[in-house]
Structures are given as C-alpha cells and as structure tokens.
C-alpha cells in the first residue's frame, strides 16, 4: 500500500515544495498536483521533478477539456522525461462550472471524451503516426474542417515509457466503470470503505470484465485526512467546510456529482439540506449538517488503534494507495505523521 499526498495549490508553492523533500525522506511515495483554476499543474510538477529524487509525481487531475489529446500526451511524455519515469497522468472531467465558466468550453460527453483522449495518448507514447477517428476527436483534422493540409505525425522524441500510467478521477457509476476498464488507476473522492462495494462494486466489476490484463491490477487511490493521537478530534471538524462545499456548492441543484454520491451513501435528507443551505449562502449552517459518521469513515483521524483499523478497512475494500492530508500544527509534526502512517500500512 502506497502513501500519497496532495499538494496544496492555493498557498506558497516554492515553500510547499521545499517541505516536500522532507516528506520524501519520511517515506512519501507519490504526490498529487491539482489543476483547479489556480496556477497550472504542469509547471509545478516540473519544478517538483527537479527538487525530488524518488517521489512519484501525478497530476491530480488534468481536465480532459482544456488541452487537446495530443497535447496531454506530449505533456505526460515530457513530465515522464524530466522526472526519469516517475510520472502518472491523472485525468478527470472536472465539472461544468470550471470547464464552461473558466475555460469557456462546452461540458459535453465526459465519458466518451475521456476514453478517446486515453486511446490517443497511448498512440502518441508508442510513437505511432497518430490517426484517430472518434466521435469527439479526429486526428488529423478532416480536410472539410480545415485547410486539408494536416497529415499523420508521430512524436519526435522517444518517450521514457511507451505506457505512462493513467489514473481517472471518477465517482459516477459509468465513470468508475470506465476507469476499471481502461486505466491503471482510479481515484474517487469521499471514500467510505464500508460502503464502497455497495456504491461502486457493480461498476468496478463491469469495468474489470472488459479490462486488458496487460494493465495489471487496478490501483485504487483513496483520499483521507490524517491525524494520530488521543486528542485530535478537533482536526476532524476541519473537514466540515470542505465537505459542505462539495456536497452543497460544487455544482448546481440537480447537477452536483458529490451531492449525488452523498445520497448514494444513504444521506439523502442531509445532502438535500446541505445543498439548499449552501446555495442560499448559509455555508456555516450547511457545514454543521455534514454527518459526523461521514467525516469519521472517510478519515484517518483518531488514536493509533483507530487509524490502524481504518487502514485495514481501506485495504480490505481494495484500496492500494492512500492519499493523505497530514494535519498538525508544525511541519515537523506532519513529517512524523507520514512516518507513522508508513509504519502502519507496512
């Protein structure tokens, strides 16, 4: 079981990366770099590659809408090169608020686009002349849609690997099925190990039934806040505003993937109330309604025995990478948390 950590994308980046080297020494296996509507993730990942030696580096995630498929492939190949083969391409659909609101691109066919993007990327990495006729992407561009001068090309450089690992961030049934079918890894959010089989089991099984054995076992990457001790319950409550943001405010009413997930977990009433309050500007009231059980079940916050039991529950549910957020007052204490969780998972 690997230990990962998400890089904070809203703070001082250089200072954060300087601390990352200490986490690497403490045993951190992989760092995930988000691309929301802050700085781009790629420049940051290149900087991380130069400042680390062993640490795996993953985009967590690059939206499939904001770059062409071949540019995503070129970017992944370039990142794999500068990191000496330490890169994982994390992809996701993001959501209409970001894709249409910030990028000005229609949020259409996320499933179909994700599949086609990955198929094109794998052509590029094998140094094939890229020819692709899909529903959403056609390469080269047909003559009747451009100048007619486009021709099949292959990437000039020789990628370090012709199969860069791909992780799909997904929580919807069809998206999860797609990840289990075609990706090396799957990254859900708000992961509750006790309910994972009920919520996602059928999708995982359907995807794996069509999975190419060459992909290997599916890497299941679960996120969890981390604090270990006898008096750490206060850290748990810090998760309320973030959970309320996603369940209540990350999308419109009737078009919120995280709200749908909370409902599928069995919190239909709470999900509805949280969304109504959040969208009406009552964010604190919305956060207060986030179920305590939800916060506890998807965290690693508690005594050492509690955290050990939660790690085991994650392992039994199929988790192979835990993407933690270490919570402590000092950098030194956060390093010790990474050292401790590495000890517990091994």
């Amino acid at each position: 079981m690997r230990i990962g950590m998400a890089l904070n994308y809203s703070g001082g980046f250089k200072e954060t990366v300087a601390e990352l080297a200490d986490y690497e020494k403490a045993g951190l296996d992989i760092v995930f770099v988000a691309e929301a509507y802050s700085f781009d993730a790629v420049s940051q990942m290149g900087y991380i590659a130069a400042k680390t030696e062993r640490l795996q580096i993953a985009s967590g995630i690059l939206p499939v809408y904001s770059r062409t498929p071949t540019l995503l492939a070129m970017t992944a190949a370039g990142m794999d090169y500068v990191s000496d083969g330490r890169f994982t391409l994390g992809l996701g659909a993001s959501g209409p608020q970001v894709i249409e609101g910030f990028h000005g691109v229609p949020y259409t066919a996320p499933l179909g686009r994700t599949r086609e993007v990955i198929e094109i990327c794998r052509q590029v990495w094998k140094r094939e002349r890229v020819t692709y006729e899909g529903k959403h992407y056609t390469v080269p561009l047909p003559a009747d849609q451009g100048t007619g001068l486009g021709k099949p090309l292959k990437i000039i450089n020789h990628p370090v690997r012709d199969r860069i690992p791909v992780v799909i961030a997904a929580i919807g049934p069809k998206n999860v099925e797609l990840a289990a079918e075609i990706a090396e890894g799957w990254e859900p959010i708000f992961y509750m190990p006790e309910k994972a089989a009920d919520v996602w089991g059928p999708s995982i099984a359907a995807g794996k039934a069509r999975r190419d054995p060459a992909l290997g076992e599916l890497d299941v990457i679960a996120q969890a806040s981390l604090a270990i001790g006898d008096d750490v319950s206060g850290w748990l409550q810090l998760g309320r505003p973030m959970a309320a943001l996603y369940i209540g405010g990350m999308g419109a009413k009737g078009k919120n993937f995280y709200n749908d997930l909370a409902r599928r977990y069995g919190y239909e009433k709470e999900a509805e109330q949280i969304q109504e309050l959040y969208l009406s500007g009552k964010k604190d009231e919305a956060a207060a309604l986030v179920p305590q059980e939800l916060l506890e079940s998807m965290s690693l916050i508690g005594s050492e025995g509690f955290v050990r039991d939660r790690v085991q529950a994650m392992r039994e549910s199929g988790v192979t990478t835990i993407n933690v957020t270490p919570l402590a007052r000092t950098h030194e204490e956060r390093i010790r948390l990474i050292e401790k969780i590495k000890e517990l998972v091994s």
Side-chain angles (χ1 to χ4, degrees), residues 269-334:
K269 181 180 178 181
E270 293 89 341
E272 181 176 356
Q273 292 175 331
I274 290 169
Q275 188 175 55
E276 287 180 358
L277 287 168
Y278 203 97
L279 293 179
S280 65
K282 299 177 180 178
K283 298 180 180 180
D284 292 340
E285 291 91 333
L289 289 183
V290 174
Q292 182 78 5
E293 180 190 35
L294 176 63
L295 293 173
E296 291 175 350
S297 297
M298 63 186 189
S299 80
L300 296 173
I301 297 177
S303 67
E304 182 175 326
F306 173 83
V307 172
R308 183 182 291 109
D309 289 345
R310 297 311 298 157
V311 167
Q312 184 59 26
M314 286 186 170
R315 192 192 305 273
E316 291 175 356
S317 74
V319 172
T320 50
T321 299
I322 305 179
N323 190 12
V324 302
T325 302
L327 301 173
R329 291 176 178 82
T330 68
H331 177 55
E332 290 71 25
E333 289 175 315
R334 289 188 287 273

Side-chain angles (χ1 to χ4, degrees), residues 9-188:
Y9 56 80
S10 61
F13 174 71
K14 291 184 179 180
E15 293 80 3
T16 301
V17 174
E19 295 179 348
L20 193 58
D22 296 329
Y23 292 120
E24 181 180 37
K25 293 174 184 175
L28 189 69
D29 297 300
I30 183 168
V31 62
F32 294 84
V33 183
E35 185 171 88
Y37 39 99
S38 182
F39 293 138
D40 77 288
V42 180
S43 59
Q44 298 179 75
M45 291 188 295
Y47 186 82
I48 291 171
K51 296 293 183 178
T52 57
E53 298 177 358
R54 176 192 57 82
L55 195 65
Q56 298 287 309
I57 303 165
S59 53
I61 50 99
L62 296 181
V64 296
Y65 292 94
S66 55
R67 295 171 177 84
T68 66
T70 44
L71 179 56
L72 279 165
M74 293 162 60
T75 298
M79 269 304 309
D80 207 43
Y81 174 73
V82 298
S83 66
D84 295 322
R86 292 185 284 140
F87 181 66
T88 293
L89 177 60
L91 295 172
S94 186
Q97 285 187 320
V98 173
I99 299 306
E100 295 186 356
F102 195 65
H103 294 289
V105 176
Y107 189 83
T108 58
L111 279 170
R113 289 182 184 278
T114 301
R115 181 185 290 276
E116 293 187 12
V117 162
I118 292 171
E119 289 175 350
I120 294 170
C121 281
R122 287 173 174 161
Q123 277 194 38
V124 173
W125 299 331
K126 291 177 182 177
R127 299 196 75 242
E128 298 174 358
R129 293 192 182 276
V130 181
T131 59
Y132 192 88
E133 293 186 13
K135 184 176 180 180
H136 310 288
Y137 302 101
T138 302
V139 185
L141 192 69
D144 62 352
Q145 295 181 33
T147 64
L149 299 176
K151 63 179 182 179
L153 298 172
K154 64 180 179 181
I155 190 170
I156 295 172
N157 301 84
H158 289 257
V160 174
R161 293 178 289 177
D162 64 5
R163 195 60 174 263
I164 296 169
V166 174
V167 168
I168 297 178
I171 54 176
K174 291 297 183 182
N175 305 62
V176 173
E177 183 177 332
L178 180 70
E181 178 190 352
I182 68 171
E184 279 84 359
W186 164 52
E187 184 176 11

